[in-house]
Amino acid sequence: MHPSTNQFEALQARINQQILGQELVVKQLVIALLANGHVLIQGLPGLAKTRAVNEMANEVKAKLNRIQFTPDMLPADITGSEVYSNQTQSISFKPGPVFSNFLLADEINRAPAKVQSALLESMAEAQVSVAGVSHPLPELFMVLATQNPIEQEGTYPLPEAQMDRFLMQILIDYPDKDAEKSMLKLLRAQQVSATEEQATLTVEEVLAARKLVEQVSVNDNIDQYIVDLVDATRQPKKYSDELATFIELGASPRATIALDRCARAHAWLSGRDFVSPEDVKAVCHGVLRHRMVLSFNCINLNMSSDIVIDKLLDCVVHV
């Protein structure tokens, strides 16, 4: 039986019941799950970044491992290492927490670059190499990394190469007052009744849904629109003199691929078998915000990546 969009709408609804006031964050997480990509979730401490990931993993009957990144971590703490056994007089590989379906990399930018880069191979190749031997990761493997703003104490900026490996960057902000009030009631109710709920989806259903997303059609006009959007980050002067003053460095070809994959997932979630310009616009901020380097002028004006992307969408016209 093919998985339906209704199952993934139910998945979103159930997570939204536990993470109040963050509907857009939850939808982007589900899009990334369908598009087979890794996500970087950024926000201040205490905004339910970790909770959001935990809830999604709970709703999919899959293995979740969590790594709390700290400044004294070693790469082997992620990948695993070879261990000598006195009983068998042999060396065997002991898998690290990366061997899971969902890997929650909590506060990823609190560890030094060498440890952060240990994730790169697993994110790009779905495998881990230790002592010259490659160990494959599960077919459903998704890194969900949380990051504190770099202005926070004890954080390191992620290398650009690693940032580019994330399909989307999701920003999580303070909930509104009504959602926060409802949150208090929800947590009190959970303390009273700690019932264990059944998972909504299986790993097989997620993998089958990904195949359906791959079948969503994209016409040449949409392809051209996606390519034009990415090109505008690299050669903004062709599209707008103002835009050229905001962008220092544009997005890589991975951005083009990510826009295509995320737009198809958004279209499928909306119940369509074709991509529209609105699908591309809906995922554009999450895909591009971490892939552009803003100019000093832009930073000086206190303009965020999202404001620049808004201007980008105004400048690039869909044919």
Side-chain angles (χ1 to χ4, degrees):
M1 189 177 111
H2 285 309
S4 68
T5 54
N6 291 339
Q7 287 175 282
F8 284 84
E9 285 172 2
L11 171 69
Q12 288 181 74
R14 283 168 66 103
I15 300 174
N16 281 326
Q17 288 172 3
Q18 304 300 320
I19 312 292
L20 302 175
Q22 302 290 357
E23 288 80 8
L24 182 59
V25 169
V26 172
K27 185 169 187 178
Q28 288 176 314
L29 281 174
V30 174
I31 286 171
L33 176 66
L34 287 168
N36 189 15
H38 311 291
V39 294
L40 180 63
I41 309 167
Q42 180 168 313
L44 291 164
L47 293 184
K49 298 187 295 296
T50 306
R51 184 180 171 92
V53 174
N54 276 322
E55 290 300 331
M56 189 170 82
N58 288 341
E59 293 299 330
V60 179
K61 196 174 181 182
K63 184 180 181 183
L64 167 72
N65 279 342
R66 177 177 180 268
I67 305 172
Q68 179 67 52
F69 280 68
T70 57
D72 59 349
M73 279 185 72
L74 297 171
D77 295 332
I78 297 169
T79 60
S81 58
E82 291 195 318
V83 178
Y84 179 76
S85 169
N86 281 323
Q87 290 180 331
T88 61
Q89 302 286 305
S90 63
I91 296 173
S92 60
F93 176 66
K94 183 181 179 184
V98 74
F99 289 86
S100 60
N101 298 117
F102 294 106
L103 179 68
L104 171 53
D106 223 349
E107 297 188 302
I108 189 173
N109 62 332
R110 291 199 182 278
K114 185 182 284 190
V115 174
Q116 291 165 1
S117 67
L119 271 179
L120 268 177
E121 183 189 11
S122 59
M123 290 170 67
E125 309 295 339
Q127 66 176 27
V128 167
S129 296
V130 176
V133 180
S134 295
H135 305 272
L137 294 170
E139 190 176 358
L140 173 60
F141 172 68
M142 185 176 180
V143 174
L144 301 112
T146 71
Q147 172 177 269
N148 298 121
I150 56 171
E151 297 82 12
Q152 289 274 302
E153 188 74 27
T155 59
Y156 302 82
L158 293 179
E160 286 83 357
Q162 188 175 359
M163 291 285 279
D164 203 27
R165 295 286 181 184
F166 287 102
L167 182 78
M168 302 178 85
Q169 183 185 33
I170 300 172
L171 301 184
I172 188 165
D173 206 350
Y174 293 112
D176 60 38
K177 288 198 290 185
D178 290 339
E180 199 153 1
K181 188 176 177 183
S182 301
M183 177 193 71
L184 290 174
K185 295 177 182 176
L186 172 70
L187 292 174
R188 287 182 194 133
Q190 284 180 341
Q191 288 168 358
V192 173
S193 62
T195 56
E196 191 173 320
E197 295 187 358
Q198 293 295 314
T200 309
L201 291 163
T202 64
V203 170
E204 290 73 23
E205 285 172 325
V206 172
L207 295 174
R210 286 179 176 178
K211 286 186 168 58
L212 294 177
V213 168
E214 287 170 5
Q215 293 168 19
V216 172
S217 64
V218 187
N219 66 32
D220 285 344
N221 286 343
I222 297 295
D223 280 346
Q224 190 61 53
Y225 184 47
I226 289 172
V227 169
D228 287 346
L229 281 170
V230 177
D231 183 58
T233 69
R234 300 171 191 161
Q235 303 182 67
K237 199 165 181 62
K238 280 169 49 180
Y239 299 84
S240 160
D241 288 337
E242 183 190 32
L243 194 63
T245 65
F246 297 147
I247 302 174
E248 186 71 31
L249 189 65
S252 76
R254 283 199 192 100
T256 310
I257 297 165
L259 275 175
D260 172 59
R261 283 162 53 189
C262 291
R264 279 188 283 163
H266 189 275
W268 187 80
L269 271 178
S270 304
R272 283 179 281 103
D273 62 355
F274 63 92
V275 173
S276 72
E278 284 64 41
D279 294 314
V280 179
K281 291 175 182 175
V283 299
C284 196
H285 292 77
V287 169
L288 292 181
R289 65 165 60 105
H290 61 299
R291 289 186 160 97
M292 301 186 307
V293 177
L294 303 183
S295 68
F296 177 76
N297 177 48
C298 190
I299 297 166
N300 201 34
L301 292 171
N302 204 26
M303 288 176 63
S304 67
S305 297
D306 284 1
I307 294 173
V308 176
I309 293 168
D310 287 337
K311 293 184 181 296
L312 184 79
L313 290 170
D314 289 340
C315 294
V316 181
V317 181
H318 171 253
V319 180

